[in-house]
Amino acid sequence: MIRILLVEDQPLVREIVREILRDAPEMRVTGEAGDGDEMAVILAAGEFDLMLLDISLPGKSGFDLLKSVRVQYPGMAVLMLSTHSEPDYIARAIDLGAAGYVQKRHAAERLVDAIRGIRLKAAG
């Protein structure tokens, strides 16, 4: 089972992501946060294999949160999930240690495969 922490400020997007992942029996959203403060509390209290992290969040940005997660939880795979399609955003996420980047508009087609790819890469 891939335990996923979903960090996204929009409840509707969280619901859509959960729906997309329901078709993948080996994946389950086991925690959700709407901002960095909630994320920190949930991370400290639970065990997760992968984080889906939005870039545009209230308070600290997803980039700032990615930096801190890479330091505090170096084994945690982070997949960025964002509306931003600009190459600079993608490059910055990868440079900061994200395992991948999926645009929200492509999530229905690409999210499950992206997560599976990250898990295969980590196992190999």
Side-chain angles (χ1 to χ4, degrees):
M1 175 70 65
I2 302 171
R3 300 163 297 181
I4 298 170
L5 172 57
L6 175 57
V7 184
E8 163 65 53
D9 62 321
Q10 298 179 37
L12 180 60
V13 174
R14 290 197 306 260
E15 183 178 329
I16 291 167
V17 169
R18 283 192 310 271
E19 189 63 33
I20 291 167
L21 296 179
R22 280 193 185 111
D23 293 335
E26 77 276 21
M27 299 176 200
R28 195 167 96 208
V29 174
T30 56
E32 295 183 23
D35 60 32
D37 293 337
E38 287 180 0
M39 181 199 79
V41 170
I42 293 170
L43 263 177
E47 292 186 28
F48 303 95
D49 302 303
L50 184 134
M51 178 186 299
L52 291 176
L53 179 60
D54 187 16
I55 291 175
S56 300
L57 294 166
K60 291 185 177 182
S61 75
F63 289 132
D64 292 332
L65 297 175
L66 175 59
K67 287 180 203 175
S68 64
V69 167
R70 300 304 321 134
V71 170
Q72 294 178 321
Y73 302 90
M76 170 81 62
V78 179
L79 176 60
M80 303 305 286
L81 183 62
S82 180
T83 58
H84 299 285
S85 61
E86 297 87 350
D88 290 347
Y89 279 86
I90 299 166
R92 184 171 178 202
I94 300 303
D95 288 347
L96 291 173
Y101 192 103
V102 174
Q103 294 174 19
K104 288 179 184 176
R105 68 181 177 181
H106 299 299
E109 308 92 46
R110 299 182 183 164
L111 186 58
V112 170
D113 287 340
I115 293 170
R116 286 180 178 147
I118 289 167
R119 294 300 290 168
L120 283 174
K121 190 175 180 181

